[in-house]
Amino acid sequence: MTSTSNPRELQAQLETLTTEAFRPELADIDRLPTLDIARLMNGEDASVPAAVSRQLPRIAAAIDAIAERMARGGRLIYAGAGTAGRLGVLDASECPPTFNTDPAQVVGLIAGGPEALVTSVEGAEDSAELARADLDGLAVTAVDTVVGVSASGRTPYAVGAVEHARAEGALTVGLSCNADSALAAAADHGIEVVVGPELLTGSTRLKAGTAQKLVLNMLSTITMIRLGKTYGNLMVDVRASNEKLRARSRRIVALATGADEREVEEALAATDGEVKNAILTILADVDGPTAARLLAESGGHLRAALSGGPAPRG
């Protein structure tokens, strides 16, 4: 998909999009007291989770497909422009400290590159060719997943990324906020969270951005749960890269095992600070190397490594 060179044609396209619709009842919003505007905006935001809930079956199907590919060594790659691209980069950047993933395992691509995170890069979002080049730079394969993100569902960079990834055999997901979008049509899994017109006409960093953030949270978080990155609702693959995370690691081991402070510290010391391994040493009463072997044999799933062992304490 290439950019629309005719301004009138592009304007006509935008006028058909729910996210771009003008709301005459809000034409005097700038005359309202600040508290009233805040209440209006809060009410608008409250409608987003319901819009997401209507897409949950599609979201779940996409997650299962993503997890299956990632279990085989695939990557999760987000591709978008503007706010959508920034949200993808944000979600990807939070996976290493949260789930101890390799930085190359979940990747965010934004049209225009890192510079576009803080400033507008003219024309970048209109280039499907740029999306193809960015994906070629990552050498996308059939075990990877590419998620195109676009509020409008027509952004050439996002659509081009999905089309190119699908041609390479990768799994594709199209996340947009308009029905019957080109992005969803191009993808294996189309997720269209229709949040309606924005408080400010065309400002899709508002409800549409919130919806995209919620869905991206689900895609990465639930995929990581499926991959064994958690034990119950505990983040057992957390990377203790600062004091807060080191304190969190100790707390997670204690919550998972019921062990006292001394036993927790000894377990973390015996496993070089690996939370999942430390839990296994306590619950299965094994040493550090044995815990590492059992986890390797179970594909990193703590519950599988514990099967046949003692029940968790507490």
Side-chain angles (χ1 to χ4, degrees), residues 28-266:
D28 291 327
I29 191 173
D30 56 329
R31 296 182 176 182
L32 296 176
T34 300
L35 181 56
D36 288 351
I37 299 174
R39 284 175 174 148
L40 278 171
M41 191 167 180
N42 182 243
E44 292 288 303
D45 290 342
S47 70
V48 176
V52 172
S53 73
R54 290 189 284 273
Q55 290 293 301
L56 289 179
R58 292 178 178 272
I59 293 169
I63 290 168
D64 284 339
I66 293 168
E68 190 276 329
R69 301 245 179 161
M70 292 193 77
R72 292 190 280 130
R75 296 167 293 177
L76 175 57
I77 302 166
Y78 300 125
T83 296
R86 294 182 190 101
L87 289 169
V89 171
L90 173 64
D91 196 79
S93 69
E94 291 179 340
C95 285
T98 306
F99 299 110
N100 200 17
T101 59
D102 186 291
Q105 195 173 7
V106 184
V107 180
L109 295 177
I110 182 169
E115 179 187 351
L117 290 170
V118 294
T119 188
S120 175
V121 177
E122 290 298 325
E125 74 170 55
D126 294 325
S127 176
E129 292 76 15
L130 179 59
R132 288 193 287 269
D134 287 346
L135 288 176
D136 285 342
L138 293 176
V140 169
T141 72
V143 295
D144 294 325
T145 300
V146 173
V147 180
V149 189
S150 164
S152 69
R154 61 156 299 280
T155 305
Y157 182 88
V159 178
V162 164
E163 290 177 338
H164 184 58
R166 195 168 185 179
E168 295 296 315
L171 178 73
T172 55
V173 179
L175 170 59
S176 73
C177 294
N178 282 289
D180 303 317
S181 66
L183 182 58
D188 297 301
H189 296 267
I191 300 170
E192 296 175 321
V193 184
V194 181
V195 294
E198 297 285 6
L199 185 82
L200 302 180
T201 301
S203 182
T204 52
R205 60 178 286 270
L206 300 177
K207 286 190 297 185
T210 301
Q212 291 165 42
K213 179 67 168 72
L214 292 177
V215 175
L216 293 178
N217 281 350
M218 288 184 180
L219 293 183
S220 59
T221 301
I222 303 176
T223 293
M224 295 302 161
I225 291 173
R226 294 275 75 91
L227 293 175
K229 294 286 187 178
T230 66
Y231 179 62
N233 64 338
L234 296 174
M235 301 189 309
V236 292
D237 258 335
V238 63
R239 176 175 293 168
S241 57
N242 57 42
E243 283 302 321
K244 181 186 78 172
L245 291 178
R246 279 187 280 275
R248 181 176 290 165
S249 296
R250 292 190 290 271
R251 183 168 183 267
I252 288 171
V253 174
L255 287 170
T257 64
D260 60 28
E261 184 177 346
R262 178 192 59 78
E263 192 174 5
V264 167
E265 291 291 352
E266 289 177 351

